[in-house]
Amino acid sequence: MLFNTLRYAEFFAAVFVGSWALVRIAGVWPRLVFLLLVSYGFYAAWDWRYLPLIFASSTVDFLLARAIARETRPRARRAMLIATVALNLGFLGFFKYWNFAIENVAALRALLTGEPASVGHAFRVLLPPVGISFFTFESMSYVIDVYRGELPPHKSYLRYLLFVAFFPHLVAGPIVRPRDLLPQFERAPSLTREQGGEGLFLVAIGLVKKVVLSDQLALNLVDRVFERPENYSALEVLAGVYGYAAQIYCDFSGYTDIAIGSALLLGVRFPKNFDAPYKAKNLADFWRRWHISLSTWLRDYLYIPLGGNRGSELATYRNLMITMLLGGLWHGASWNFVFWGFLHGLGLAVTRAFQRAVQRRGGGPARADDREAAARPSPLRFPVHALCVLLTFHYVCLAWIFFRVPSFSQAVLILRQIGTLTTFHPNLPPVLVALLGIALASHYVPERLYERARAGFIAAPAPVQGALLFLVAIGLHEAASAAAVPFVYFQF
């Protein structure tokens, strides 16, 4: 991980110096060309063979959006929209789900014929392009927004290519909407002292989350427990499940912090993607806090077009379930991910049914809009609120088991081992327990303390900032493992 971190630091330092030097010397346009080239270079470093894919997908969507905006006939506009959706989902489906599909066909054939299930290598495709789920959703949302009349077609081909390929969010998000990012590429960039301080603060926080918390929990607890749960006590396996909840949060939110901080240092602001999700009092609240850019994308481009909560209660539950099942499948070509989505869809449906029952009994509107309901102050007293948070966290952890394991049998083994209720714990040294506690307890630190720390770093003189960053670098060096632990969401 340290080697990868150093490589990224060297790469970003060169991009930072080059982009701001170009603005000063040559102006905005050469800087955009430079950022596009380095973004494509960044993507090609993972696998250069997929570079034509992201370029072709961006180009087709740019041209189709312009054609849709010019067209006045509804049928023609709808046909072009269907074409872009089919193209994007076709790319995504082929590269990400083809192997999954043929494996299931082979398994079904084996079940019907009694012959061994096998798939020849000639029928398999290469590993899916890194980040394909993210840039596909971003590009597709642009065309849909143009079709809906919510966004005018962009005039600059170069800026659109950069919107899709901009390297800080290219491989693992956040999923940035065109209406948020494209206007920023049209303006002359600026970097204030406050922006610079905030960017450095976020990058440092993100690296600490990843290297110190996520990687250490993965290597010393989570990977071992999930690989051989039968070798551990119920308490240790439960700690491993908690550890994975902490690991995936610190890993993904850490990457997001690094991405947002890197973009800020280049004069671009990304939206917030996490808001202490394990503080959620129910699953609907969890999805307002976890991977916000994905949950809002699914809401706006899948749940609401399906009908949202505008129909009957049964139709609303159906729409919730479809959205979460497809959200689970978006994460990977595995029935485990689909079942993870099913658990969240079921939990959201139960949450909604409970809320509606409470509203009806209290005389409130039975079908009030979820966002309006969420904005109202909670009537729950602290003990009940704390219980709701605890139950929600454990339901999320239950779902995380199926997200993490390679098979259902492994998930059953983990649950069975927890059911033994054994409590010996030689594999839980105090340092590891402390790391786990810090990773989870960070959710419950008052927001004002975090804001005070951020504002203090931004306001500090440059030598003080440098000293603090140097101390962070030393801590990262001491904590970094020889074995690189890739970011969890790079696989999606």
Side-chain angles (χ1 to χ4, degrees), residues 276-452:
Y278 298 143
K279 284 172 59 176
K281 62 183 181 292
N282 55 53
L283 273 191
D285 190 24
F286 174 81
W287 280 104
R288 284 188 286 266
R289 296 169 176 270
W290 174 270
H291 202 348
I292 299 168
S293 62
L294 174 63
S295 60
T296 54
W297 197 100
L298 291 172
R299 180 197 67 199
D300 294 344
Y301 298 102
L302 185 56
Y303 176 67
I304 291 176
L306 283 171
N309 57 4
R310 297 188 299 274
S312 66
E313 285 296 302
L314 186 61
T316 299
Y317 300 143
R318 177 204 64 199
N319 297 337
L320 281 171
M321 187 61 72
I322 291 174
T323 300
M324 295 314 299
L325 286 173
L326 292 177
L329 190 62
W330 175 88
H331 281 86
S334 166
W335 289 113
N336 288 44
F337 290 121
V338 175
F339 188 69
W340 172 82
F342 168 79
L343 287 175
H344 276 275
L346 178 64
L348 286 169
V350 170
T351 298
R352 182 180 177 86
F354 176 77
Q355 290 175 338
R356 295 303 177 269
V358 170
Q359 289 170 350
R360 282 192 290 267
R361 187 167 56 184
R367 296 164 64 184
D369 184 85
D370 286 337
R371 283 167 290 184
E372 293 179 3
R376 301 189 191 106
S378 172
L380 300 175
R381 296 180 179 178
F382 177 76
V384 180
H385 180 86
L387 179 62
C388 290
V389 171
L390 189 66
L391 291 175
T392 301
F393 172 71
H394 280 85
Y395 189 84
V396 170
C397 285
L398 171 66
W400 280 141
I401 294 174
F402 294 91
F403 192 91
R404 172 63 173 75
V405 295
S407 65
F408 285 100
S409 60
Q410 192 76 355
V412 171
L413 186 59
I414 288 171
L415 294 171
R416 185 178 297 162
Q417 195 66 15
I418 294 174
T420 64
L421 302 179
T422 50
T423 58
F424 62 91
H425 52 278
N427 298 292
L428 293 177
V431 172
L432 194 58
V433 173
L435 281 176
L436 177 57
I438 291 170
L440 293 175
S442 63
H443 276 69
Y444 308 101
V445 173
E447 183 72 16
R448 66 179 181 276
L449 294 183
Y450 173 82
E451 290 299 327
R452 191 176 300 170

Side-chain angles (χ1 to χ4, degrees), residues 252-273:
F252 193 19
S253 69
Y255 175 87
T256 298
D257 288 339
I258 295 169
I260 294 174
S262 299
L264 267 176
L265 292 170
L266 295 173
V268 176
R269 183 173 290 276
F270 288 164
K272 188 176 184 178
N273 206 29

Side-chain angles (χ1 to χ4, degrees), residues 29-145:
W29 190 256
R31 175 182 183 265
L32 295 175
V33 175
F34 173 75
L35 287 176
L36 178 61
L37 292 176
V38 297
S39 294
Y40 278 156
F42 180 80
Y43 193 74
W46 298 93
D47 193 332
W48 62 268
R49 293 170 295 180
Y50 290 128
L51 193 56
L53 174 64
I54 187 173
F55 173 76
S57 174
S58 305
T59 300
V60 170
D61 283 341
F62 176 80
L63 295 175
L64 278 174
R66 292 178 67 85
I68 287 173
R70 288 194 303 267
E71 184 60 64
T72 57
R73 293 169 298 172
R75 283 189 179 181
R77 297 179 81 249
R78 192 176 303 114
M80 286 187 282
L81 176 67
I82 292 172
T84 191
V85 171
L87 182 67
N88 280 285
L89 295 184
F91 279 142
L92 185 62
F94 177 73
F95 285 105
K96 195 167 181 176
Y97 304 108
W98 175 260
N99 291 343
F100 176 63
I102 61 174
E103 286 168 3
N104 279 275
V105 169
L108 180 61
R109 184 178 62 186
L111 182 66
L112 296 175
T113 63
E115 299 176 357
S118 62
V119 178
H121 290 289
F123 291 98
R124 295 181 178 272
V125 298
L126 299 171
L127 291 175
V130 66
I132 186 172
S133 299
F134 290 94
F135 68 73
T136 297
F137 273 24
E138 286 169 342
S139 191
M140 191 165 59
S141 67
Y142 165 73
V143 184
I144 295 173
D145 285 351

Side-chain angles (χ1 to χ4, degrees), residues 159-186:
R159 288 186 174 91
Y160 183 77
L161 293 179
L162 181 57
F163 152 70
V164 177
F166 190 45
F167 73 89
H169 74 103
L170 176 57
V171 295
I175 301 172
V176 185
R177 302 290 183 90
R179 66 172 68 97
D180 295 327
L181 189 52
L182 281 170
Q184 297 190 63
F185 290 144
E186 294 175 355

